[in-house]
Structures are given as C-alpha cells and as structure tokens.
Amino acid sequence: MKLRSLAPAVVLLLAAAVSHAQSQGNFGLYLNPYVTRISNSKPETGPFAFLGDNATSRIFWGFQMGGYYDFFHSGPLAAGVTMRFSDQHANNAGIRDFQVGARVAGTLTGTRWNPYVEATIGGASTKPPGATARVSKTAYAVYGGADYTFSRHVDFRAFEIGYGSVTTASNETIGAGNTLPATPSKLLSFSSGLVFRF
C-alpha cells in the first residue's frame, strides 16, 4: 500500500467533513507527539532486523496527526469515523502508517471529560536500520483515551493508549524474497496533546 497515494483522498475527505461539521462542533483535528513500544516474540539478527541485532523491543518516537468526524449523536454518546497518520523513528529504523476506522465517544455526566474508543485498520511502511528497502503491510490497532474540554473548540487529550500489530521489515520479508511467513510485531502506543474541534 503506497501511503502517499492516499494523500489527495484524505485532503478531500477532510475538507468535506469540515464544511459539513463546522456548525455542529463534531469534527476534531490533532497533531501530537507519539511514542510506541514495538516488540517481537523472538530476537532477530542480520542486515534487515527492524529492531536491531538480537533486540526484541525498541521505543520509537515521532508524531501522530489525525481527525475524527462524529456523525451520530444520542444523548451523551457519539459515534463516527476516524483517520490517523504517524511517522516514528528509532535506531535509524522508521515506521509510517495510515489507518481509518470507527470510533465511539461519550461525555461523563456533569463533567468535561470525554472518553473514547477507536478501532482502525490500514497500512504501515517500515524501513530497517542501514537499508533503503521498505516493506508495506496491513496494520490494525485499537485506541482508548480521554479528552478534557477546555473551551468550545479546544480539548486536552489527557491520555491515549493504543495496541496494534503489523508485520515489519525483516530478514523474512526482505532477505527471503517475501516468501517466508513472518511473525507480526506488537505495538503499544501512547499519546497526549491538544485536539481542535470545529
């Protein structure tokens, strides 16, 4: 999956959603720091070891940008769609992903807290350290968090935790000509920051 080919579609979708949601206050955008612990069940060695020689986990740092559109409302509950893009690096390796999915959010009665849950699927592109080859595979994740409303258009994302999976670049996916079954890596992510609502 070529992530850059999705850019025009994402821009059009965001523009349409913003124009429809401006008067309803149910469209959010964010650009926040993003940290992910990527782990494998067994260590890998060789020129295409994504986490590095004999490593079973590594912390990747970067940013995540995304948006959501809640088109269904019933009392304190809302449901809609979400899309996310992230770019992270560690040990000269990199991972980029783009995912879309569904979300459910709510408002805790008598408070400004808005917890949410999102389930997403899409594609991730990974590059091992010291190599130019990239591997693109299907990725999925589940996220949960809570936003605190500061004002009509600004929320503070107090925390977000995500758990997902993707098959990364490795000796199996590159060196073996992509013919051997590869074990997916597990991704545990954390994020916090501001969300701008329209």
Side-chain angles (χ1 to χ4, degrees), residues 41-131:
S41 58
K42 59 182 181 179
E44 185 183 14
T45 60
F48 302 114
F50 182 67
L51 299 178
D53 277 341
N54 293 312
T56 57
S57 68
R58 190 169 296 278
I59 303 294
F60 282 69
W61 301 80
F63 71 90
Q64 177 175 240
M65 58 187 278
Y68 64 82
Y69 174 44
D70 290 334
F71 55 81
F72 174 80
H73 297 270
S74 178
L77 295 177
V81 294
T82 183
M83 68 180 101
R84 299 164 169 263
F85 171 80
S86 70
D87 188 354
Q88 298 177 92
H89 301 272
N91 191 40
N92 292 318
I95 178 170
R96 296 179 189 146
D97 79 306
F98 176 80
Q99 298 187 39
V100 296
R103 79 179 240 121
V104 176
T107 300
L108 297 180
T109 306
T111 74
R112 295 183 173 196
W113 287 101
N114 307 294
Y116 64 89
V117 176
E118 298 181 355
T120 61
I121 189 169
S125 171
T126 57
K127 182 191 82 63

Side-chain angles (χ1 to χ4, degrees):
M1 171 184 242
K2 294 194 184 280
L3 298 178
R4 78 181 81 135
S5 65
L6 294 174
V10 171
V11 170
L12 288 174
L13 183 59
L14 287 174
V18 168
S19 65
H20 181 267
Q22 276 181 340
S23 63
Q24 301 176 22
N26 54 7
F27 183 81
L29 291 174
Y30 54 87
L31 172 62
N32 294 326
Y34 193 55
V35 179
T36 301
R37 180 183 184 268
I38 302 179
S39 59
N40 293 332
S41 58
K42 59 182 181 179
E44 185 183 14
T45 60
F48 302 114
F50 182 67
L51 299 178
D53 277 341
N54 293 312
T56 57
S57 68
R58 190 169 296 278
I59 303 294
F60 282 69
W61 301 80
F63 71 90
Q64 177 175 240
M65 58 187 278
Y68 64 82
Y69 174 44
D70 290 334
F71 55 81
F72 174 80
H73 297 270
S74 178
L77 295 177
V81 294
T82 183
M83 68 180 101
R84 299 164 169 263
F85 171 80
S86 70
D87 188 354
Q88 298 177 92
H89 301 272
N91 191 40
N92 292 318
I95 178 170
R96 296 179 189 146
D97 79 306
F98 176 80
Q99 298 187 39
V100 296
R103 79 179 240 121
V104 176
T107 300
L108 297 180
T109 306
T111 74
R112 295 183 173 196
W113 287 101
N114 307 294
Y116 64 89
V117 176
E118 298 181 355
T120 61
I121 189 169
S125 171
T126 57
K127 182 191 82 63
T132 57
R134 281 195 166 270
V135 171
S136 295
K137 296 287 185 180
T138 301
Y140 69 87
V142 175
Y143 299 91
D147 296 342
Y148 182 82
T149 300
F150 275 154
S151 66
R152 181 180 175 192
H153 294 293
V154 181
D155 287 350
F156 171 59
R157 180 150 290 175
F159 73 91
E160 178 184 87
I161 301 173
Y163 180 78
S165 179
V166 66
T167 300
T168 63
S170 67
N171 293 307
E172 296 168 329
T173 58
I174 298 175
N178 209 10
T179 59
L180 297 176
T183 304
S185 297
K186 302 304 179 191
L187 289 71
L188 180 63
S189 63
F190 303 90
S191 183
S192 179
L194 297 179
V195 179
F196 298 94
R197 291 182 293 105
F198 303 94

